[in-house]
Amino acid sequence: MTDTTEPRAIPPAEDASLPQRVERINFAAAMGALGDALVFLAATVGGVRPGPAHILSFIVAIALNYQLNIRVAVATAGRTRDVRLYGHLLVVSLLALFLRGGVLSLLTNVWGWPPSVAIFVAIGATLAVTLPGYEFSLSSHAWRLGSGTRWKALAVGLVAYAFALRLIYQGQVELLPEEAYYWSYSRHLASGYLDHPPMVAWLIRFGTAIFGTTQLGVRVCALLCAAATAFFTYRLTRNLYGVKSAWSAMVLSQVLPFFFMAGLVMTPDTPLVAAWAAELYFLERALVAGRPRAWWGAGLCLGVGLLSKYSMGLLGLAALVFVLLDPQSRRWLRRWQPYAAALIALAIFSPVIAWNAENEWVSFVFQTTRRLSGETQFSLHKLILAALVLMTPTGLLAAAALLRRRPPEEGGGGRDGGVARRKWRFLQVAVGVPLAVFVAISLRHNVKFDWTAEVWLAALPALAFVATSSGDKLPRTLLAKIRAAWMPTILALLVIFAAGLHFLVLGLPGLGYGERMELMPMGWSDLAQQINTIAKEIGETTGAEPLVVGMDRYAIASEVAFYASDPAAGGPQTSGAHLFGWTALMYERWVPLQSQAGRTLLLVAWKSQDLTDRCVAAHAERLGPVQDGVLVRDGRVIRRYYYRAVFGYRNFAKCL
């Protein structure tokens, strides 16, 4: 059994001096905040940028706080040699540092506050993390999911920090190329698109209608989807394994890599995760708990999920498999509710079917036969690697328990044992069926990194149960290692996420910027402004502003359109490389070739060879010279780009 009691960090005799201890804590906090502000102001006046300046002033503040308060508290608690305590204090300090960096950047770079004023709000954010964080570190010897006297406070703190981190940075990190492309979806609203259903476009349109054409406007619904995911994951796990496991599952739904990112950026996976979590909840209520009314929610969520991504249908397949395998659930085959749920889902999804029918079924073909065509390629190893990244080694090891035949509770007989087996089988099937489909595909075809991501939602209740319960029949040594690894894994993930976001917005001392802007979203705004200026110069010379053509599938065209000087008013018109015979996805429909005849184009590429290709010359009456530009941040070169004007575009030309 796990010990749920923890020794007091401060002996009872100290309780009599509570006013003195509170006074000492307040004095240390005040002195730390004062030193923080003074060092920051002195550094910025001396020419240091706010990013490095706030890191320097934070270190001074933490040192003062340690000398005036923490050191005494550690000695009083008799924990001067407790390495784990110092690790917890370090984690709290790093989380506070990176969160306050986001607050400082938000106030100065987005809201336009002077750094000398913004630093005081950032210091307030620092105290909001460090005061409760240090106190919890000193009073709790072990941080565990679902155990200890203050396990719920720990869970609430972790979830709240993950939400705060995304909320503060969401509007500051530049859009990923995929997000900018889906924003382009929202400017061409439809019931379907070549590569995805329309839900992501509708959500972006909703967000930008409220917050404008901004990064926050594109992403705000991601945070709402993350909240829905947390809610339904909690409810599902509570129904299956109780409150302790439910809180732990909610933590995992917010801090595991894929789920954290799904609540930060806006892609089709973002609403799919929320719909998948809700569908699992309603299916459990219908199939395991036997509640007929739950089928209405299941039908609604299945339909919404299909509007987000076609892979939602795999969860419907999993539900059918469970009904066939579970004797008690087979009765639903003779009742009308499941069929009504299927009709509800079909009705919600019907606009996508109608759009495909009007467009030669292009989206269905793109996501099925087109993806499965081509050379045979074994990629199971990629699927396993993706699972290790999406779930972490700790999560994947714990999820392996789902493959066992028996439920984790002790005692498999009797009525309770039968209920436990049905719960466990429900999770097994919900994970196993979709995963089996992707495994089968990976044996002969290439797979995408995020294909299995939503599948692991059904594993979270089991992971949380394994992390909080002592009744599992896993080998004791393995179970102990899994439980011991969870909290370091969670804390490490939060620190990595916070540091990464800080790096993208304010940078980190000693770290440079990579060239892969599609992975590290920075420099896109600078590129758009430079291209916008070049396009205007060409327009002033020729009398007509050129069409900006990104010589890739969609990234350059989408990012330049979004970060143009006034995208709400149209900005420069952009297109993809399909004008020269290459692939550009939806740009092939948004910008038809025949409508561009005779037009001036401004080609933009990452490689000069893309601008000297014979296909470019074949489609032009006259070519301008290849020129280059450079993207710089904080005095450091991110990458170079190349551009070239094409005069008199010929859409009828053939490239041999």
Side-chain angles (χ1 to χ4, degrees), residues 590-618:
W590 295 333
V591 188
L593 285 87
Q594 59 271 19
S595 63
Q596 311 307 317
R599 190 167 182 180
T600 299
L601 312 180
L602 174 58
L603 312 187
V604 185
W606 300 122
K607 299 178 181 178
S608 60
Q609 299 94 307
D610 292 340
L611 304 183
T612 57
D613 189 280
R614 65 178 184 274
C615 290
V616 173

Side-chain angles (χ1 to χ4, degrees), residues 101-331:
V103 172
L104 180 65
S105 176
L106 177 66
L107 297 177
T108 57
N109 297 333
V110 180
W111 294 3
W113 289 25
S116 58
V117 177
I119 187 59
F120 290 98
V121 180
I123 291 172
T126 305
L127 296 175
V129 176
T130 56
L131 288 180
Y134 290 163
E135 189 276 333
F136 189 87
S137 299
L138 290 165
S139 61
S140 301
H141 284 246
W143 293 12
R144 300 189 186 95
L145 291 174
S147 64
T149 56
R150 303 177 63 186
W151 62 267
K152 187 177 290 188
L154 175 62
V156 170
L158 293 171
V159 172
Y161 183 85
F163 266 80
L165 193 65
R166 287 179 289 200
L167 179 63
I168 290 169
Y169 280 103
Q170 205 164 43
Q172 301 186 68
V173 177
E174 292 188 1
L175 297 185
L176 292 167
E178 292 84 355
E179 293 180 284
Y181 176 56
Y182 300 135
W183 168 78
S184 298
Y185 273 18
S186 72
R187 295 202 299 167
H188 303 84
L189 283 183
S191 298
Y193 301 92
L194 171 66
D195 36 352
H196 287 294
M199 181 59 74
V200 65
W202 297 350
L203 292 178
I204 291 175
R205 186 63 171 265
F206 175 77
T208 53
I210 298 174
F211 295 99
T213 307
T214 62
Q215 290 155 177
L216 179 62
V218 171
R219 292 170 170 156
V220 66
C221 287
L223 200 60
L224 300 179
C225 290
T229 302
F231 173 78
F232 284 109
T233 299
Y234 176 89
R235 294 289 300 273
L236 170 67
T237 310
R238 188 187 65 177
N239 292 336
L240 293 173
Y241 299 117
V243 173
K244 285 188 176 182
S245 296
W247 278 102
S248 299
M250 185 164 63
V251 171
L252 297 179
S253 75
Q254 299 306 301
V255 303
L256 287 175
F258 174 77
F259 302 121
F260 180 87
M261 292 302 298
L264 176 68
V265 301
M266 177 53 73
T267 70
D269 286 301
T270 299
L272 177 64
V273 168
W276 199 290
E279 179 73 0
L280 285 171
Y281 166 76
F282 285 113
L283 285 177
E284 185 278 331
R285 291 289 83 192
L287 295 175
V288 179
R291 298 184 180 180
R293 295 178 61 182
W295 285 107
W296 302 113
L300 173 64
C301 294
L302 180 60
V304 171
L306 288 170
L307 288 177
S308 304
K309 209 170 180 181
Y310 299 132
S311 56
M312 184 71 184
L314 294 176
L315 194 51
L317 176 62
L320 176 60
V321 171
F322 179 80
V323 168
L324 296 176
L325 292 177
D326 182 56
Q328 295 186 45
S329 297
R330 289 176 199 154
R331 63 187 177 93

